[in-house]
Amino acid sequence: QVQFVESGGGLVQPGGFLRLSCAASGSIYSIYAMGWYRQAPGKQRELVAGITTGGTTNYADSVKGRFTISRDNAKNTVYLQMNSLKPEDTAVYYCNFVTRQQYWGQGTQVIVSS
């Protein structure tokens, strides 16, 4: 069984910042990629950023230059530093771990509003 602890979401003003973290524990092995997805109301879930255990990253065009993904392989933890937040970044953010299957965190709400 795999458990996730996501944290760091909340309400922030436009231009502000947040740092999300997601730690996996339990029976999860051979992780080769971690990532963050988000889902806004009425929209499909979309990839925000991904990182392999080797450190290769990729980002959605909408967040390039503003968001940074990082990971701690030893702690099975993935982070997302979000700067210069915009109202359109408002969504539920889910962490994702890829082994032979995909695992999802429970989600954390991010609201960007004045």
Side-chain angles (χ1 to χ4, degrees), residues 80-94:
L80 186 67
Q81 179 68 41
M82 305 186 294
N83 298 330
S84 302
L85 282 161
K86 304 176 180 180
E88 50 264 44
D89 294 318
T90 295
V92 178
Y93 285 70
Y94 298 90

Side-chain angles (χ1 to χ4, degrees), residues 26-47:
S27 301
I28 185 167
Y29 308 102
S30 302
I31 301 168
Y32 65 82
M34 305 174 187
W36 289 94
Y37 287 70
R38 67 186 180 188
Q39 188 166 18
K43 295 188 177 181
Q44 289 189 334
R45 191 173 296 189
E46 63 175 359
L47 174 68

Side-chain angles (χ1 to χ4, degrees), residues 27-33 97-103:
S27 301
I28 185 167
Y29 308 102
S30 302
I31 301 168
Y32 65 82
F97 286 70
V98 181
T99 63
R100 290 185 178 182
Q101 61 188 82
Q102 290 201 62
Y103 297 91

